Amino acid sequence: MYSQCPHCLTIYRVALGELAGGRGEAACGSCDQAFDVLATLSAELPPEPIDRLDVVPPQMPVPVLRQAVLRPKPLQPSLFDPNTRKQAESFLKPRAAVAAAGTRRRVALWLAVVVLAVVLLAQIVYAERQRLLAIPTYRAWAESLCERFGCLVPGSTRAIADIRLISRDIRKHPTVEGALLITATMANTGERARPYPILELRLSDLDERPVAMRRFMPEDYLSDRARVPAGMPPHSTVPLEFEVLDPGADAVAFEFRFLPPR
């Protein structure tokens, strides 16, 4: 018999075994699309040129088969006949084993589907992380989750929540003309290591208008750059010292700000 793929219009010769094995469904060998073989199933090909095979209209109601060939009698085991019971058990055990194997396959298939769905969801979240982090609700949820598992959300102020400035001082540089010497002490007051923050130093005038500003990366204010990846240990302090150009008499106040690491 013959059937036609509705996607690429390829016509195939269909064997009875293929029709039964796919329960009326098949995959096209040309375009890899699945299609209903029964929809255009035909015993003969129309004369050429051939465009499309006729679609078989569905029959309503479902046809009833009348010409019975064989009606096998199921085995009826008897609890009072040991021989019959043994025959029944030998007959039923393979069926039970097949049913158990089928159940295990279905469970394994569903587990695979769940795992693939989780992996796909994780990939989508990672690919869209910048857009998602712009949503306040999602960002708060992500920060709470990362706080629990020790990870960092980019730009999160929670990463440096335990970093404090416990002392600071500014004075004329003792050896360099036209420069200022700024010293401070930074402390991690938390119970876990925290990433070294970006330090922002602002000099302002009497009206609190900024006169000068500079940001220092951890590599700029740490004497040992190898300490940066490990973060600042809990309950530890770091002395800070900055040499900056004197912006003039208008700079009467200075301020340190801690910014989250990139």
Side-chain angles (χ1 to χ4, degrees):
M1 304 187 76
Y2 304 92
S3 183
Q4 185 177 36
C5 172
H7 306 284
C8 65
L9 303 183
T10 303
I11 298 176
Y12 292 96
R13 186 190 303 274
V14 183
L16 181 60
E18 295 172 329
L19 188 62
R23 297 181 182 271
E25 292 285 334
C28 179
S30 298
C31 66
D32 293 330
Q33 297 289 328
F35 67 96
D36 182 6
V37 178
L38 300 177
T40 56
L41 193 65
S42 175
E44 297 180 356
L45 289 176
E48 295 185 358
I50 303 172
D51 182 19
R52 290 180 179 269
L53 296 183
D54 294 335
V55 176
V56 179
Q59 297 186 13
M60 296 296 291
V62 176
V64 179
L65 303 180
R66 301 289 184 184
Q67 298 180 2
V69 177
L70 181 64
R71 184 178 293 111
K73 295 182 179 180
L75 181 62
Q76 299 293 333
S78 173
L79 297 178
F80 304 100
D81 186 351
N83 294 327
T84 305
R85 185 167 64 250
K86 290 180 180 179
Q87 293 177 2
E89 290 175 353
S90 63
F91 176 75
L92 294 175
K93 281 183 179 179
R95 292 195 171 189
V98 171
T103 302
R104 287 194 296 269
R105 284 197 209 96
R106 285 195 295 269
V107 172
L109 178 62
W110 278 110
L111 286 177
V113 170
V114 171
V115 171
L116 291 176
V118 171
V119 172
L120 179 61
L121 179 61
Q123 291 176 339
I124 293 174
V125 171
Y126 181 78
E128 298 292 330
R129 61 189 182 279
Q130 297 296 340
R131 185 178 63 82
L132 292 174
L133 288 175
I135 303 174
T137 303
Y138 176 83
R139 186 176 187 86
W141 175 81
E143 289 179 348
S144 300
L145 191 64
C146 276
E147 184 72 16
R148 178 175 300 178
F149 291 99
C151 57
L152 294 176
V153 174
S156 173
T157 57
R158 294 191 182 189
I160 56 173
D162 298 327
I163 305 297
R164 300 284 187 273
L165 196 68
I166 58 177
S167 67
R168 61 177 189 168
D169 182 53
I170 184 171
R171 59 183 181 273
K172 292 288 186 180
H173 201 287
T175 58
V176 180
E177 185 69 23
L180 299 175
L181 181 63
I182 301 175
T183 58
T185 302
M186 180 176 64
N188 179 6
T189 61
E191 300 296 331
R192 64 172 63 179
R194 294 294 183 181
Y196 288 98
I198 300 173
L199 293 180
E200 182 180 275
L201 175 60
R202 286 176 176 263
L203 301 177
S204 57
D205 58 15
L206 288 174
D207 297 325
E208 298 184 352
R209 290 177 298 188
V211 176
M213 185 273 288
R214 182 178 173 184
R215 291 177 179 173
F216 299 88
M217 305 300 294
E219 294 81 0
D220 299 328
Y221 60 78
L222 291 178
S223 57
D224 184 7
R225 296 188 175 185
R227 296 161 53 190
V228 175
M232 189 173 179
H235 303 292
S236 63
T237 59
V238 174
L240 305 173
E241 184 176 278
F242 303 101
E243 296 175 326
V244 298
L245 292 176
D246 189 350
D250 291 338
V252 296
F254 74 102
E255 176 189 10
F256 275 107
R257 290 181 59 198
F258 296 139
L259 304 177
R262 295 174 182 174

